[in-house]
Coordinates of all heavy atoms in Angstrom, one line a residue:
M235 N 160.9 108.8 107.4 CA 160.9 107.4 107.3 C 159.5 106.9 107.1 O 158.6 107.3 107.8 CB 161.5 106.8 108.5 CG 161.7 105.3 108.5 SD 162.7 104.8 109.8 CE 162.6 103.1 109.6
E236 N 159.3 106.0 106.2 CA 158.0 105.4 105.9 C 157.8 104.1 106.7 O 158.7 103.3 106.8 CB 158.0 105.1 104.4 CG 156.6 105.2 103.8 CD 156.7 105.0 102.3 OE1 157.5 105.6 101.6 OE2 155.9 104.1 101.8
T237 N 156.6 104.0 107.2 CA 156.2 102.8 108.0 C 155.5 101.8 107.1 O 154.7 102.2 106.2 CB 155.4 103.1 109.2 OG1 154.2 103.7 108.7 CG2 156.1 104.0 110.1
L238 N 155.7 100.6 107.3 CA 155.1 99.5 106.4 C 153.8 99.0 107.1 O 153.1 98.3 106.5 CB 156.1 98.4 106.2 CG 157.3 98.7 105.4 CD1 158.3 97.5 105.4 CD2 157.0 99.2 104.0
H239 N 153.6 99.4 108.3 CA 152.4 98.9 109.0 C 151.2 99.7 108.7 O 151.2 100.9 108.8 CB 152.7 98.9 110.6 CG 151.5 98.5 111.4 ND1 151.0 97.2 111.3 CD2 150.7 99.1 112.2 CE1 150.0 97.1 112.1 NE2 149.7 98.3 112.6
K240 N 150.1 99.0 108.3 CA 148.9 99.7 108.0 C 147.9 99.2 109.0 O 147.7 98.0 109.2 CB 148.4 99.4 106.6 CG 149.2 100.0 105.5 CD 148.6 99.7 104.2 CE 149.5 100.3 103.1 NZ 149.0 100.0 101.8
P241 N 147.1 100.1 109.7 CA 146.1 99.7 110.7 C 145.0 98.9 110.0 O 144.6 99.2 108.9 CB 145.6 101.0 111.3 CG 146.0 102.0 110.3 CD 147.2 101.6 109.6
E242 N 144.6 97.8 110.6 CA 143.5 96.9 110.1 C 142.1 97.6 110.2 O 141.3 97.2 109.4 CB 143.6 95.6 110.8 CG 144.8 94.8 110.6 CD 144.8 93.5 111.3 OE1 143.7 93.0 111.7 OE2 145.8 92.9 111.5
H243 N 141.9 98.4 111.1 CA 140.6 99.0 111.4 C 140.5 100.4 110.9 O 140.0 101.3 111.6 CB 140.2 98.9 112.9 CG 140.2 97.5 113.3 ND1 139.2 96.6 112.9 CD2 141.0 96.8 114.1 CE1 139.4 95.4 113.5 NE2 140.5 95.5 114.2
N244 N 141.0 100.7 109.8 CA 141.0 102.0 109.2 C 139.6 102.3 108.7 O 139.0 101.6 107.8 CB 142.0 102.2 108.1 CG 142.1 103.6 107.5 OD1 141.4 104.5 108.0 ND2 142.9 103.8 106.5
L245 N 138.9 103.3 109.2 CA 137.5 103.6 108.8 C 137.4 104.2 107.4 O 136.3 104.1 106.8 CB 136.9 104.6 109.8 CG 136.7 104.1 111.3 CD1 136.2 105.3 112.1 CD2 135.8 102.9 111.3
H246 N 138.5 104.7 106.9 CA 138.4 105.3 105.5 C 139.0 104.3 104.4 O 139.1 104.7 103.3 CB 139.2 106.6 105.5 CG 138.6 107.6 106.5 ND1 137.4 108.2 106.2 CD2 139.0 108.1 107.6 CE1 137.1 109.0 107.2 NE2 138.1 109.0 108.1
S247 N 139.2 103.1 104.8 CA 139.7 102.2 103.8 C 138.6 101.8 102.8 O 137.4 101.9 103.1 CB 140.3 100.9 104.4 OG 139.3 100.1 105.0
E248 N 139.0 101.3 101.7 CA 138.0 100.9 100.7 C 137.1 99.7 101.1 O 135.9 99.6 100.8 CB 138.7 100.5 99.4 CG 139.2 101.7 98.6 CD 139.9 101.3 97.3 OE1 139.4 100.3 96.7 OE2 140.8 101.9 96.9
K249 N 137.7 98.9 101.9 CA 137.0 97.7 102.4 C 135.8 98.1 103.3 O 134.7 97.5 103.3 CB 137.9 96.8 103.1 CG 137.3 95.5 103.6 CD 138.3 94.4 104.0 CE 139.1 94.8 105.2 NZ 139.9 93.7 105.7
N250 N 136.0 99.1 104.1 CA 134.9 99.5 105.1 C 134.1 100.7 104.6 O 133.3 101.2 105.3 CB 135.6 99.9 106.4 CG 136.2 98.7 107.1 OD1 135.7 97.6 106.9 ND2 137.2 98.9 107.9
F251 N 134.3 101.2 103.4 CA 133.7 102.4 102.9 C 132.2 102.3 102.8 O 131.5 103.1 103.2 CB 134.3 102.8 101.6 CG 133.7 104.1 101.1 CD1 134.1 105.3 101.7 CD2 132.9 104.1 100.0 CE1 133.6 106.5 101.2 CE2 132.3 105.3 99.5 CZ 132.7 106.5 100.1
N252 N 131.7 101.2 102.3 CA 130.2 101.0 102.0 C 129.5 100.2 103.1 O 128.3 99.9 103.0 CB 130.0 100.4 100.7 CG 130.3 101.3 99.5 OD1 130.1 102.5 99.7 ND2 130.8 100.8 98.4
K253 N 130.2 99.9 104.2 CA 129.5 99.1 105.2 C 128.7 100.1 106.2 O 129.3 101.1 106.6 CB 130.5 98.3 106.0 CG 131.1 97.2 105.2 CD 131.9 96.3 106.1 CE 132.4 95.1 105.3 NZ 133.1 94.2 106.1
H254 N 127.5 99.7 106.4 CA 126.7 100.4 107.4 C 126.8 99.7 108.7 O 126.6 98.5 108.8 CB 125.3 100.5 107.0 CG 125.1 101.3 105.7 ND1 125.2 102.7 105.7 CD2 124.9 101.0 104.4 CE1 125.0 103.1 104.5 NE2 124.8 102.1 103.7
H255 N 127.1 100.4 109.8 CA 127.2 99.8 111.1 C 125.9 100.0 111.9 O 125.8 99.4 113.0 CB 128.4 100.4 111.8 CG 129.7 100.1 111.2 ND1 130.2 98.9 111.2 CD2 130.5 100.9 110.5 CE1 131.4 98.9 110.5 NE2 131.6 100.2 110.1
D256 N 124.9 100.7 111.4 CA 123.6 100.8 112.1 C 122.6 99.9 111.4 O 122.8 99.5 110.3 CB 123.2 102.3 112.1 CG 123.1 102.9 110.7 OD1 123.8 102.3 109.8 OD2 122.5 103.9 110.6
P257 N 121.5 99.6 112.1 CA 120.5 98.7 111.5 C 119.9 99.3 110.2 O 119.9 100.5 110.0 CB 119.4 98.6 112.6 CG 120.1 99.1 113.8 CD 121.2 100.0 113.4
Y258 N 119.4 98.4 109.3 CA 118.9 98.8 108.0 C 117.7 99.8 108.2 O 117.6 100.7 107.4 CB 118.4 97.6 107.2 CG 117.9 98.0 105.9 CD1 118.7 98.5 104.9 CD2 116.5 97.8 105.6 CE1 118.2 98.8 103.7 CE2 116.0 98.2 104.4 CZ 116.9 98.6 103.4 OH 116.3 99.0 102.2
Y259 N 116.8 99.6 109.2 CA 115.7 100.5 109.3 C 116.0 101.9 109.5 O 115.2 102.8 109.3 CB 114.7 100.0 110.3 CG 115.2 100.0 111.7 CD1 115.1 101.1 112.5 CD2 115.8 98.9 112.3 CE1 115.6 101.2 113.8 CE2 116.3 98.9 113.6 CZ 116.2 100.0 114.3 OH 116.6 100.0 115.6
K260 N 117.2 102.2 110.0 CA 117.6 103.6 110.2 C 118.1 104.3 108.9 O 118.1 105.5 108.9 CB 118.8 103.6 111.2 CG 118.3 103.3 112.6 CD 119.3 103.5 113.6 CE 118.8 103.2 115.0 NZ 119.8 103.5 116.0
H261 N 118.4 103.6 107.9 CA 118.8 104.3 106.6 C 118.0 103.7 105.4 O 118.4 104.0 104.3 CB 120.3 104.1 106.4 CG 120.8 102.7 106.4 ND1 120.9 102.0 105.2 CD2 121.3 101.9 107.3 CE1 121.3 100.8 105.5 NE2 121.6 100.7 106.8
M262 N 116.9 103.0 105.6 CA 116.2 102.4 104.5 C 115.5 103.5 103.7 O 115.2 103.2 102.5 CB 115.2 101.3 105.0 CG 114.0 101.8 105.7 SD 113.1 100.4 106.2 CE 111.8 101.2 107.1
H263 N 115.2 104.6 104.2 CA 114.5 105.7 103.5 C 115.4 106.3 102.4 O 114.9 107.0 101.5 CB 114.0 106.8 104.4 CG 115.2 107.6 105.1 ND1 115.8 107.1 106.2 CD2 115.7 108.7 104.7 CE1 116.8 107.9 106.5 NE2 116.7 108.9 105.7
K264 N 116.7 105.9 102.4 CA 117.6 106.3 101.3 C 117.7 105.3 100.2 O 118.4 105.6 99.2 CB 119.0 106.6 101.9 CG 119.0 107.7 102.9 CD 120.4 107.9 103.5 CE 120.4 108.9 104.6 NZ 121.6 109.1 105.2
D265 N 117.1 104.2 100.3 CA 117.2 103.1 99.4 C 116.0 103.2 98.4 O 114.9 103.4 98.7 CB 117.1 101.7 100.1 CG 117.4 100.6 99.2 OD1 117.8 100.8 98.0 OD2 117.4 99.4 99.7
W266 N 116.3 103.1 97.1 CA 115.3 103.3 96.0 C 114.3 102.1 96.1 O 113.1 102.3 95.7 CB 116.0 103.4 94.6 CG 116.7 102.1 94.2 CD1 118.0 101.8 94.4 CD2 116.1 101.0 93.5 NE1 118.2 100.5 93.9 CE2 117.1 100.0 93.3 CE3 114.8 100.7 93.0 CZ2 116.9 98.8 92.7 CZ3 114.6 99.5 92.4 CH2 115.6 98.6 92.2
R267 N 114.7 101.0 96.5 CA 113.7 99.8 96.6 C 112.7 100.1 97.6 O 111.5 99.7 97.5 CB 114.5 98.5 96.9 CG 115.4 98.1 95.8 CD 116.3 97.0 96.2 NE 117.3 97.5 97.2 CZ 118.3 96.9 97.6 NH1 118.6 95.7 97.1 NH2 119.1 97.4 98.5
F268 N 113.0 100.8 98.7 CA 112.0 101.1 99.7 C 110.9 102.0 99.1 O 109.7 101.8 99.3 CB 112.7 101.8 100.9 CG 111.7 102.4 101.9 CD1 111.1 101.7 102.8 CD2 111.5 103.8 101.9 CE1 110.2 102.2 103.7 CE2 110.6 104.4 102.8 CZ 110.0 103.6 103.7
W269 N 111.3 103.1 98.3 CA 110.4 104.0 97.8 C 109.6 103.4 96.6 O 108.4 103.7 96.5 CB 111.1 105.3 97.3 CG 111.6 106.0 98.4 CD1 112.9 106.2 98.8 CD2 110.8 106.7 99.4 NE1 113.0 106.9 100.0 CE2 111.7 107.2 100.4 CE3 109.5 106.8 99.6 CZ2 111.2 108.0 101.5 CZ3 109.0 107.6 100.7 CH2 109.9 108.1 101.6
V270 N 110.1 102.4 95.9 CA 109.3 101.7 94.9 C 108.3 100.9 95.6 O 107.1 100.9 95.2 CB 110.2 100.8 94.0 CG1 109.4 99.8 93.2 CG2 111.1 101.7 93.1
G271 N 108.6 100.3 96.7 CA 107.6 99.5 97.5 C 106.5 100.4 98.0 O 105.3 100.0 98.0
V272 N 106.9 101.6 98.5 CA 105.9 102.5 99.1 C 104.9 102.9 98.0 O 103.7 103.0 98.2 CB 106.6 103.7 99.7 CG1 105.6 104.8 100.0 CG2 107.3 103.3 101.0
V273 N 105.5 103.3 96.8 CA 104.6 103.7 95.7 C 103.7 102.6 95.2 O 102.5 102.8 95.0 CB 105.5 104.2 94.5 CG1 104.7 104.4 93.2 CG2 106.2 105.5 94.9
L274 N 104.2 101.4 95.1 CA 103.4 100.2 94.7 C 102.2 100.0 95.7 O 101.1 99.7 95.3 CB 104.2 99.0 94.5 CG 105.1 99.0 93.3 CD1 106.0 97.8 93.2 CD2 104.4 99.2 92.0
I275 N 102.5 100.1 97.0 CA 101.5 99.9 98.0 C 100.5 101.0 97.9 O 99.2 100.7 98.0 CB 102.1 99.8 99.4 CG1 102.9 98.5 99.6 CG2 101.1 99.9 100.5 CD1 103.8 98.4 100.8
L276 N 100.9 102.2 97.7 CA 99.9 103.3 97.6 C 99.0 103.2 96.4 O 97.8 103.4 96.4 CB 100.6 104.6 97.6 CG 101.2 105.0 99.0 CD1 102.0 106.3 98.8 CD2 100.2 105.2 100.1
V277 N 99.6 102.7 95.3 CA 98.8 102.5 94.1 C 97.8 101.4 94.3 O 96.7 101.5 93.9 CB 99.8 102.2 92.9 CG1 99.0 101.6 91.7 CG2 100.5 103.4 92.5
A278 N 98.3 100.3 94.9 CA 97.4 99.2 95.2 C 96.2 99.6 96.1 O 95.1 99.2 95.9 CB 98.1 98.0 95.8
L279 N 96.5 100.4 97.1 CA 95.5 100.8 98.0 C 94.5 101.8 97.3 O 93.3 101.7 97.6 CB 96.1 101.5 99.2 CG 96.8 100.6 100.3 CD1 97.5 101.5 101.3 CD2 95.7 99.8 101.0
T280 N 95.0 102.6 96.5 CA 94.1 103.5 95.7 C 93.2 102.8 94.8 O 92.0 103.0 94.7 CB 95.0 104.5 94.9 OG1 95.8 105.2 95.8 CG2 94.1 105.5 94.2
I281 N 93.8 101.8 94.1 CA 92.9 101.0 93.2 C 91.9 100.2 93.9 O 90.7 100.2 93.5 CB 93.8 100.0 92.3 CG1 94.6 100.8 91.3 CG2 93.0 99.0 91.6 CD1 95.7 100.0 90.6
Y282 N 92.3 99.6 95.0 CA 91.3 98.9 95.9 C 90.2 99.8 96.4 O 89.0 99.4 96.4 CB 92.1 98.2 97.0 CG 91.2 97.4 97.9 CD1 90.7 96.1 97.5 CD2 90.8 97.8 99.2 CE1 89.9 95.3 98.3 CE2 90.0 97.0 100.0 CZ 89.6 95.8 99.6 OH 88.8 95.1 100.4
T283 N 90.5 100.9 96.9 CA 89.6 101.9 97.4 C 88.6 102.4 96.3 O 87.4 102.4 96.6 CB 90.3 103.0 98.1 OG1 91.2 102.5 99.1 CG2 89.3 104.0 98.8
M284 N 89.1 102.7 95.2 CA 88.3 103.3 94.2 C 87.5 102.3 93.4 O 86.5 102.6 92.8 CB 89.2 104.1 93.1 CG 89.8 105.3 93.8 SD 90.8 106.2 92.6 CE 89.5 107.0 91.7
S285 N 87.8 101.0 93.5 CA 87.1 99.9 92.8 C 86.0 99.3 93.7 O 85.4 98.3 93.3 CB 88.0 98.8 92.4 OG 88.5 98.1 93.5
V286 N 85.7 99.8 94.9 CA 84.7 99.3 95.8 C 85.0 97.8 96.0 O 84.2 97.0 95.6 CB 83.3 99.6 95.3 CG1 82.3 99.3 96.4 CG2 83.1 101.0 94.9
D287 N 86.1 97.5 96.6 CA 86.4 96.2 97.0 C 86.5 95.2 95.8 O 86.1 94.1 95.9 CB 85.5 95.6 98.0 CG 85.4 96.4 99.3 OD1 86.5 97.1 99.6 OD2 84.4 96.4 100.0
F288 N 87.0 95.7 94.7 CA 87.2 94.9 93.5 C 85.9 94.3 92.9 O 86.0 93.2 92.3 CB 88.2 93.8 93.7 CG 89.6 94.3 93.8 CD1 90.4 93.8 94.9 CD2 90.2 95.1 92.9 CE1 91.7 94.2 95.0 CE2 91.5 95.6 93.1 CZ 92.3 95.1 94.1
T289 N 84.8 94.9 93.1 CA 83.6 94.4 92.5 C 83.6 94.7 91.0 O 84.1 95.7 90.5 CB 82.3 95.1 93.1 OG1 82.5 96.5 93.0 CG2 82.2 94.7 94.5
I290 N 83.1 93.8 90.2 CA 83.1 93.9 88.8 C 82.0 94.9 88.3 O 82.2 95.8 87.5 CB 82.9 92.5 88.1 CG1 83.9 91.6 88.6 CG2 82.9 92.7 86.6 CD1 85.2 91.4 87.8
Q291 N 80.8 94.6 88.8 CA 79.6 95.5 88.4 C 79.5 96.6 89.4 O 79.9 96.5 90.5 CB 78.3 94.7 88.3 CG 77.9 94.0 89.5 CD 78.4 92.6 89.6 OE1 79.6 92.5 89.8 NE2 77.6 91.6 89.4
P292 N 78.9 97.7 89.0 CA 78.7 98.9 89.9 C 77.8 98.5 91.1 O 77.0 97.6 91.0 CB 78.1 99.9 89.0 CG 77.8 99.3 87.7 CD 78.4 98.0 87.7
A293 N 78.0 99.2 92.1 CA 77.2 99.0 93.3 C 75.7 99.2 93.0 O 75.3 100.1 92.2 CB 77.6 99.9 94.4
A294 N 74.8 98.5 93.6 CA 73.4 98.6 93.4 C 72.9 99.9 94.0 O 73.4 100.3 95.0 CB 72.7 97.4 94.0
P295 N 71.9 100.6 93.4 CA 71.4 101.8 93.9 C 70.7 101.5 95.2 O 70.1 100.4 95.4 CB 70.5 102.3 92.9 CG 70.2 101.1 92.0 CD 71.3 100.2 92.1
P296 N 70.7 102.4 96.1 CA 70.1 102.2 97.4 C 68.5 102.1 97.3 O 67.9 102.7 96.4 CB 70.4 103.5 98.2 CG 70.8 104.5 97.2 CD 71.3 103.8 96.0
V297 N 67.9 101.2 98.0 CA 66.5 101.0 98.0 C 65.8 102.0 98.9 O 66.2 102.1 100.1 CB 66.2 99.5 98.4 CG1 64.7 99.3 98.4 CG2 66.9 98.6 97.5
H298 N 64.8 102.6 98.4 CA 64.1 103.6 99.2 C 62.8 103.0 99.8 O 62.1 102.3 99.3 CB 63.7 104.9 98.4 CG 64.9 105.7 98.1 ND1 65.6 106.4 99.0 CD2 65.5 105.9 96.9 CE1 66.6 107.0 98.4 NE2 66.6 106.7 97.1

């Protein structure tokens, strides 16, 4: 005999399939936007470090 009642809290239903029940910071390392942000920050830090604080002209030679 087939039952017509379907449980509302089925964990495998399509409605609940993509919902995360834990906080975002616990699974954000799987998100591509997180890694794009990490790469952009590292590129910005590298450019800032290699450009000597964004100076246009080269640093003056040390005075002896």
